[in-house]
């Protein structure tokens, strides 16, 4: 397959499914929640990736008070944070993140700060200096707020940012922010990212003399 070259001024990175493979934990926790609610597990799993938990709950149980969703999401976050069994890096993620040392990039995740730190550590990955987590936004992906906030913090125009995402909600958020999106992994393929890669193994990032980043995927 012919390599694609993109240029950007900053890279904005999702975590779950993009840098960290946490599917085993997500499946355990959310299928258990689905069973307790009498919901179909496959239906629940088709919704939860990329979104904050309370928004997923609101979609799946639209008649339930948001206060209950928020309370259950706090319990879910505690459960997920305590469960690190099966967490591994997405193939290529360690070398990819190492190549970004000193370059403009940020983590933009629907996880809260504690969960994101625990999962990155469990996968043996360095935690980026700038992280936009659930506490920093008022709206969950697919709203673009998180990506726009990261771009503003880095001082980079949204059009000059390149997003790496795996979920439909995340890809929609990146595109809505006016950014190009590299879809990572099999989940991304159905959601029309700008470019699609199976994992991060073949992704290369090079800093040019003018400060721009050349990304080969």
């Amino acid at each position: 397959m012919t390599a694609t070259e993109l240029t950007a001024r900053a890279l904005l990175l999702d975590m779950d499914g993009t840098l960290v493979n946490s599917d085993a934990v997500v499946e355990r926790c959310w299928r258990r929640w689905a069973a307790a609610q009498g919901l179909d597990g496959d239906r629940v799993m088709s919704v939860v990736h990329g979104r904050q938990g309370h928004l997923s709950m609101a979609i799946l149980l639209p008649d339930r008070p948001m206060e209950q969703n928020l309370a259950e999401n706090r319990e879910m976050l505690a459960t997920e944070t305590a469960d690190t069994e099966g967490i591994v890096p997405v193939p290529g993620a360690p070398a990819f993140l190492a190549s970004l040392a000193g370059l403009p990039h940020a983590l933009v995740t629907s996880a809260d700060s504690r969960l994101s730190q625990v999962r990155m550590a469990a996968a043996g990955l360095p935690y980026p200096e700038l992280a936009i987590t659930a506490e920093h936004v008022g709206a969950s992906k697919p709203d673009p707020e998180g990506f726009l906030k990261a771009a503003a913090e880095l001082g980079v125009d949204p059009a000059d940012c390149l997003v790496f995402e795996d979920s439909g909600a995340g890809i929609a958020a990146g595109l809505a922010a006016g950014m190009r999106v590299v879809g990572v992994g099999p989940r991304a393929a159905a959601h029309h990212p700008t470019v699609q890669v199976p994992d991060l193994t073949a992704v290369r990032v090079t800093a040019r003399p003018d400060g721009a980043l050349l990304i080969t995927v």
Side-chain angles (χ1 to χ4, degrees):
M1 187 172 64
T2 304
T4 298
E5 291 187 342
L6 303 164
T7 58
R9 292 280 173 179
L11 304 186
L12 308 183
L13 317 173
D14 175 52
M15 181 182 69
D16 292 304
T18 301
L19 300 173
V20 174
N21 182 343
S22 56
D23 283 358
V25 178
V26 176
E27 288 270 344
R28 280 195 295 273
C29 294
W30 280 98
R31 286 189 182 275
R32 188 161 55 239
W33 180 85
Q37 306 302 322
L39 297 173
D40 177 73
D42 290 342
R43 161 68 176 148
V44 169
M45 295 313 302
S46 73
V47 169
V48 300
H49 291 291
R51 294 181 171 87
Q52 291 185 33
H54 66 86
L55 178 57
S56 296
M57 293 172 184
I59 292 170
L60 293 160
L61 297 171
D63 297 327
R64 199 163 73 158
M66 183 56 76
E67 291 77 9
Q68 187 174 348
N69 294 334
L70 290 168
E72 282 197 11
N73 186 50
R74 287 192 290 271
E75 296 174 5
M76 178 68 76
L77 285 169
T79 300
E80 289 188 281
T81 302
D83 186 353
T84 58
E85 184 179 352
I87 289 179
V88 294
V90 166
F96 173 66
L97 281 174
S99 75
L100 298 185
L103 302 180
H105 69 285
L107 191 70
V108 183
T109 175
S110 292
D112 67 5
S113 179
R114 180 61 182 151
L115 178 58
S116 64
Q117 291 177 40
V118 165
R119 285 191 174 163
M120 291 288 281
L125 298 174
Y127 200 77
E129 183 176 332
L130 175 61
I132 304 299
T133 60
E135 301 94 331
H136 298 107
V137 297
S140 171
K141 300 173 185 177
D143 192 282
E145 180 184 357
F147 288 121
L148 292 172
K149 183 163 283 191
E153 290 278 350
L154 291 169
V156 177
D157 188 276
D160 291 327
C161 294
L162 185 64
V163 169
F164 284 74
E165 265 284 2
D166 74 299
S167 70
I171 291 168
L175 295 174
M179 302 172 183
R180 293 152 298 150
V181 180
V182 177
V184 180
R187 267 196 298 269
H191 302 290
H192 310 294
T194 310
V195 184
Q196 168 77 21
V197 294
D199 54 39
L200 298 171
T201 305
V203 178
R204 298 289 181 268
V205 181
T206 307
R208 299 195 319 197
D210 64 357
L213 306 177
L214 177 65
I215 303 95
T216 305
V217 300

